[in-house]
Amino acid sequence: MCDTFSASSAGWVVRARPLPFMTESILLPQLIAVSAARRPQALALTMGGDSMSYAELADAVARFSSGLISLGLCRGERVAIYLEKRFETVIASFGAPAAGGVFVPVNPLLKPEQVAFILQDCNVRVLLTSPDRLALLRDTLAHCPDLRHVVVTEPATGRLPDLPALHHALPVVRWSQLLDNPPAPGHRVIDTDMAAILYTSGSTGKPKGVVLSHRNMVAGAKSVASYLENTSDDTLLAALPLSFDAGFSQLTTAFHAGARVVLLNYLMPRDVLKAMEREKVTGLTAVPPLYIQLTQLQWPAG
């Protein structure tokens, strides 16, 4: 059993709803909560033809947090996210630390053996993935003894394909079922607690987990938003993988400023350019090769 706290003088407490007096973000999920309190109907996320307001995003984060508590997630336990960029990826990334856990974003391009290494290395308790990805992981999850639950996303139709039988009948929970649990307070969290573990690419050896605290991530968001002079009128394009610090920083920076983030899983540089024109993007973070390729394209007039 895990101890839960609804209040504590020892540190800040994540709650299911933003507190009326909360005017400054201290913990990672509060980046969303503060902006939701200021401008609840402002758009926070866009992907394709769908968008979420800050109020909707804050509510989904709180519901995901409550769902993790219902699964028995203890303070500081790891929640891995093996998905491409989509709404559920963002919700889980902020919902896990809201529950008092630690989110572990896994590069969606990794192979099953590489995913299993990360799950083993940081003792992941809950895995969020899609049915298709779960089918690929079926055999490797047998080598992840700390894993207790798998949460799967659902297609727009709400109908799941047949799921594979997992090692030791590992419980599989649908996304909608997890978010339907009654509201529950998260564990006590202070700003020096772990919020995330981001893994290096492993180009010179095994990937290594880089531990980031709530204070690390919130301070970074405030710093970047300050020197880039981001405002709530901005639209940032999230083109880099969210498993990289620079990619995830697009979320934290935008949410601190109350700006909108456009999620893009691109195949070609032209996809990035089209998204920038379509969504009227004001900010883009990318790697040098992508910038070089973008300069070689024909940009729209004006």
Side-chain angles (χ1 to χ4, degrees):
M1 294 292 292
C2 306
D3 293 329
T4 59
F5 297 79
S6 59
S8 172
S9 60
W12 290 81
V13 179
V14 176
R15 297 176 186 265
R17 295 291 184 272
L19 297 174
F21 58 81
M22 187 193 301
T23 59
E24 191 68 27
S25 303
I26 303 297
L27 306 177
L28 182 65
Q30 291 172 347
L31 293 173
I32 295 173
V34 170
S35 287
R38 290 172 179 161
R39 299 173 67 235
Q41 300 311 313
L43 294 185
L45 286 176
T46 294
M47 185 167 183
D50 297 323
S51 293
M52 291 186 75
S53 69
Y54 270 97
E56 291 170 332
L57 180 57
D59 179 67
V61 166
R63 291 167 63 192
F64 184 81
S65 170
S66 295
L68 291 179
I69 294 298
S70 75
L71 295 181
L73 187 79
C74 291
R75 186 172 184 260
E77 289 189 329
R78 285 58 152 153
V79 179
I81 305 164
Y82 182 45
L83 289 170
E84 71 281 7
K85 287 191 282 289
R86 53 192 293 171
F87 290 166
E88 293 94 334
T89 308
V90 179
I91 293 165
S93 297
F94 288 81
V102 178
F103 79 96
V104 183
V106 180
N107 190 326
L109 299 180
L110 294 185
K111 294 181 169 59
E113 295 74 17
Q114 296 170 304
V115 176
F117 170 79
I118 292 175
L119 301 187
Q120 296 164 7
D121 189 61
C122 65
N123 313 102
V124 165
R125 288 293 194 189
V126 179
L127 169 66
L128 169 63
T129 190
S130 65
D132 291 344
R133 292 179 183 275
L134 179 58
L136 296 175
L137 295 174
R138 174 183 174 178
D139 295 333
T140 57
L141 292 185
H143 305 291
C144 303
D146 295 307
L147 191 61
R148 295 292 180 267
H149 295 88
V150 175
V151 180
V152 292
T153 58
E154 296 164 288
T157 61
R159 298 180 60 184
L160 277 176
D162 292 336
L163 297 174
L166 299 180
H167 174 67
H168 289 331
L170 192 63
V172 178
V173 183
R174 296 186 183 211
W175 175 264
S176 60
Q177 292 174 328
L178 188 75
L179 267 61
D180 277 345
N181 280 279
H187 300 290
R188 182 176 64 87
V189 179
I190 60 175
D191 59 352
T192 54
D193 283 343
M194 279 191 294
I197 302 176
L198 275 59
Y199 274 79
T200 62
S201 61
S203 56
T204 59
K206 291 287 188 182
K208 296 176 178 60
V210 179
V211 175
L212 296 172
S213 69
H214 286 264
R215 182 186 293 178
N216 292 149
M217 304 192 80
V218 172
K222 293 178 179 179
S223 174
V224 174
S226 174
Y227 68 69
L228 291 181
E229 300 181 353
N230 289 125
T231 72
S232 58
D233 294 326
D234 279 320
T235 294
L236 306 187
L237 182 64
L240 295 178
L242 299 181
S243 54
F244 296 162
D245 56 351
F248 196 82
S249 177
Q250 300 308 289
L251 298 178
T252 57
T253 301
F255 294 161
H256 171 65
R260 179 174 69 116
V261 180
V262 176
L263 303 177
L264 179 67
N265 297 295
Y266 74 93
L267 296 176
M268 303 293 291
R270 188 167 299 279
D271 298 327
V272 176
L273 184 57
K274 288 180 179 178
M276 292 177 67
E277 179 183 15
R278 181 180 66 251
E279 301 293 344
K280 299 183 178 357
V281 168
T282 61
L284 169 69
T285 294
V287 292
L290 177 56
Y291 281 130
I292 292 172
Q293 292 171 316
L294 287 174
T295 62
Q296 297 170 345
L297 297 176
Q298 182 67 40
W299 283 62

